[in-house]
Amino acid sequence: MGHSGVWVGPGGWPDDGAAGDEAAAELEELGYRTVWFGGSPGDLRRPERTLSATSRLVAATGIVNVWGDDPADVAAAFHRVNDAYPDRLLLGVGAGHATFVEQAGGTYRRPYSKVAEYLYGLDAAVRPVPAPARAVAALGPRTVALAGERSAGAHPYLVNPEHTATAREILGAGPLLAPEQKVVLETDRDRARAIATPALEFYLGLRNYVANLRRLGFTEDDVSGGGSERLFEALIAWGDEDSVVRRVREHRDAGADHVCVQVLTGRTGPDSLPHEQWRRLAPALT
């Protein structure tokens, strides 16, 4: 997987298959080893297409939602892809958020138990998904520990290096720790803040993230609206390439094996991939 990879949010990857193929091929040519797909459907068609367009790139889901896709179906999809592209797919799963589960008509309760049950479902499939081929989105201590015990490891999202250090202490040596890190390649602080604020506002409306940030010592003022200046500095790596590399190094020094770099540009949609920023960062991150 390499020491760092790129993370693309839901709706950010091109719907046009050819455009997605070109993006994946360029990432591989630039030297990136892994691409993470946020909000991945359980049919795994997008990772499969990405692997077909490349020869070495690893595709990881960040995440398949345990409330939306049956584990038996996901296991079958995993083996369809893995049989064709051995050892190049990491199945990231997680509980997602009550807001979206309930909007879809589901009932969100006891997410830790649901994730544990889902992992048992992957184990019980006709062809089980091996633990080393899956990871768990994990923020709280219990889920981080579960990730280390029942999968390759943990994929924490919207975290700082302090969380990485805590997660590594819980996991101990060995299990994968792959935190996500948002970056803005912009040296003007006001512009960087303007680019990052909509993303922070969105995630600060989801209680799982807010609860985790409070565990990390952030206050009600920090997590209100688009977040305080303190929270912005803690969660967003902004500035030039060296600034991004410093933050990635902080995660690595805190115990991360792999850092999932999500570039924010202020643009959204399937035509908004940050090609320029990926090119600028490649020499330092690959």
Side-chain angles (χ1 to χ4, degrees):
M1 293 176 62
H3 294 315
S4 59
V6 301
W7 198 100
V8 181
W13 196 256
D15 293 324
D16 176 353
D21 293 350
E22 291 172 6
E26 182 180 22
L27 285 173
E28 183 170 75
E29 184 177 350
L30 288 169
Y32 292 102
R33 299 278 297 279
T34 303
V35 58
W36 292 77
F37 294 103
S40 178
D43 62 12
L44 304 179
R45 293 294 180 187
R46 182 162 289 166
E48 182 177 31
R49 176 87 189 224
T50 297
L51 296 178
S52 74
T54 57
S55 60
R56 301 178 307 279
L57 200 67
V58 172
T61 60
I63 56 170
V64 170
N65 195 311
V66 299
W67 304 93
D69 293 284
D70 184 88
D73 294 337
V74 172
F78 170 85
H79 284 291
R80 184 193 73 241
V81 178
N82 191 62
D83 287 349
Y85 310 101
D87 303 322
R88 294 175 58 203
L89 175 64
L90 179 66
L91 178 66
V93 303
H97 302 279
T99 299
F100 307 124
V101 172
E102 291 165 0
Q103 284 175 354
T107 301
Y108 187 95
R109 63 174 183 268
R110 302 183 66 188
Y112 172 88
S113 297
K114 179 68 174 179
V115 172
E117 175 187 318
Y118 201 87
L119 295 173
Y120 282 116
L122 294 175
D123 290 337
V126 174
R127 295 181 66 190
V129 177
R134 64 197 194 199
V136 175
L139 294 175
R142 291 181 70 208
T143 311
V144 170
L146 177 70
E149 294 162 2
R150 303 284 311 285
S151 78
H155 172 45
Y157 187 92
L158 198 72
V159 295
N160 59 7
E162 287 74 15
H163 183 278
T164 296
T166 300
R168 176 51 70 196
E169 184 176 352
I170 294 168
L171 289 169
L176 173 71
L177 180 54
E180 176 267 354
Q181 174 64 58
K182 292 176 178 55
V183 310
V184 179
L185 272 178
E186 173 56 68
T187 57
D188 181 277
R189 192 182 191 285
D190 290 340
R191 286 200 291 267
R193 184 75 160 104
I195 290 169
T197 293
L200 289 176
E201 283 182 333
F202 174 78
Y203 290 113
L204 294 178
L206 301 173
R207 64 186 185 222
N208 292 4
Y209 291 128
V210 171
N212 186 59
L213 292 169
R214 286 177 174 155
R215 277 193 297 267
L216 289 168
F218 293 99
T219 67
E220 183 63 32
D221 288 340
D222 288 321
V223 299
S224 297
S228 67
E229 297 303 310
R230 175 188 176 216
L231 190 74
F232 167 71
E233 294 288 350
L235 296 181
I236 307 297
W238 67 275
D240 59 12
E241 292 88 336
D242 288 342
S243 300
V244 172
V245 170
R246 276 197 300 274
R247 180 63 61 84
V248 169
R249 187 179 300 120
E250 288 172 6
H251 280 289
R252 296 268 299 145
D253 290 345
D257 301 294
H258 175 94
V259 180
C260 317
V261 174
Q262 180 180 184
V263 176
L264 303 179
T265 64
R267 296 180 295 116
T268 59
D271 298 321
S272 61
L273 288 181
H275 295 281
E276 177 190 348
Q277 290 84 353
W278 287 343
R279 292 165 191 152
R280 288 173 56 189
L281 287 168
L285 294 182
T286 62

